[in-house]
DNA sequence: TATTGTTATACTCTATAACTATA
DNA sequence: TATAGTTATAGAGTATAACAATA
């Protein structure tokens, strides 16, 4: 197969991932939208950060990030304290309640994936992880240089 | 790595695909939402079908599919004709105008992917395609048996 | 009575633009 | 003047529930 058809196929397959994510989201607690989990995962993985950094990691506009963060704060999953280096900024940090939620969600996600992918080999899951991680970075690098949400 | 951490990692990586899809959607014509393209791709791949079949392929509720299809029809990308076998149903079919749009969108998607993934080997893209296709089927099979949108 | 599809309503996620406060 | 973040408004996508028409 030439590379052109592979790209076309990839575009179709990426569309199908949406369905998988939706399915996965069904196992979340009712007061916990999927977007919140994504943000919390990033705060868990990369630690304390500013709004603008989180927006960059999420690859969404800061205005949207701002609303998500306000929700996370309202639900008591993160703490916001002033950035000593810049009075305009606040630093975001996952707190113990958020960590607890994240642990619970991770367990549910893991169970849901195990139920669907039980017949996958460990290696295949690892390969998919590698390729998806690479896809993310490839797109992030290219995305910055093209047109994207406001601040870019 | 054990299999549990791999599942957790996969959940995170699937979240990141959302950003890729959003980025990809930016290259679409202004009057053509990404959801429309997904539906058209399925009609192109699997041919004429009923609403309920399309809803199943999209893995969304038929009520939502109904609205998407109404849009596709309003934009003149599909034809709907009565199902001779069942008066309640109408058969959906991509028409020449829809095919034309789809060709144009496929080209844009391909260009966007080529720009971001230019340094990927043909084999790696093929491997990602295989794994994503398998992910879709694994989830579809498991999903049907658990709880899902209304009609299941 | 069950099934196919449609419509009404509500919620999540996102973008753009206008705004506030600080640098 | 520029930057960090917030808020208002609008649009896409989805789910549930109530409904119409046909089987």
């Amino acid at each position: 197969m030439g590379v052109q058809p592979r790209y076309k196929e990839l575009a179709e397959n990426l569309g199908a991932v949406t369905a998988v994510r939706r399915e996965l989201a069904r196992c979340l607690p009712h007061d916990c939208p999927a977007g919140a989990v994504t943000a919390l995962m990033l705060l868990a993985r990369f630690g304390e950060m500013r709004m603008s950094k989180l927006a960059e990691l999420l690859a969404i506009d800061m205005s949207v990030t701002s609303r998500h963060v306000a929700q996370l704060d309202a639900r008591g999953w993160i703490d916001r304290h002033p950035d000593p280096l810049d009075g305009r900024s606040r630093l975001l940090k996952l707190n113990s309640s958020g960590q607890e939620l994240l642990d619970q969600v991770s367990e549910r996600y893991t169970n849901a994936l195990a139920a669907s992918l039980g017949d996958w080999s460990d290696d295949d899951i690892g390969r998919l992880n590698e390729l998806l991680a690479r896809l993310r970075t490839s797109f992030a690098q290219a995305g910055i240089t093209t047109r994207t949400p406001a601040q870019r």
Side-chain angles (χ1 to χ4, degrees), chain A:
Chain A
M1 192 187 293
V3 72
Q4 294 291 102
R6 286 212 200 281
Y7 283 139
K8 188 179 167 191
E9 199 184 339
L10 181 55
E12 291 188 32
N13 285 330
L14 289 175
V17 171
T18 303
V20 173
R21 287 210 73 214
R22 245 185 352 253
E23 200 68 37
L24 208 52
R26 290 184 214 281
C27 73
L28 291 175
H30 71 286
D31 66 335
C32 176
V37 173
T38 306
L40 290 177
M41 281 176 168
L42 290 171
L43 287 172
R45 169 173 291 216
F46 296 103
E48 192 176 64
M49 67 183 77
R50 309 165 122 202
M51 186 77 70
S52 51
K53 176 68 178 171
L54 182 58
E56 186 188 324
L57 290 172
L58 288 167
I60 57 179
D61 193 86
M62 190 157 50
S63 66
V64 180
T65 308
S66 177
R67 279 197 10 194
H68 286 180
V69 164
Q71 282 189 331
L72 298 181
D73 188 38
R75 304 237 161 122
W77 294 326
I78 63 169
D79 295 326
R80 293 195 274 194
H81 26 262
D83 184 342
L85 299 177
D86 188 336
R88 297 168 300 181
S89 249
R90 283 193 288 180
L91 294 173
L92 316 174
K93 190 177 182 182
L94 189 68
N95 64 24
S96 60
S97 172
Q99 183 63 59
E100 198 174 316
L101 173 79
L102 207 44
D103 289 343
Q104 181 190 343
V105 166
S106 289
E107 188 185 340
R108 293 197 193 189
Y109 272 176
T110 296
N111 290 340
L113 286 172
S116 295
L117 311 184
D119 60 335
W120 284 49
S121 74
D122 198 16
D123 276 356
D124 281 345
I125 299 179
R127 250 186 293 278
L128 179 55
N129 272 328
E130 282 170 27
L131 290 166
L132 288 178
R134 191 172 159 207
L135 182 69
R136 166 174 31 192
T137 57
S138 287
F139 243 84
Q141 285 168 358
I144 299 271
T145 65
T146 61
R147 132 204 69 130
T148 44
Q151 75 278 17
R152 298 189 198 169

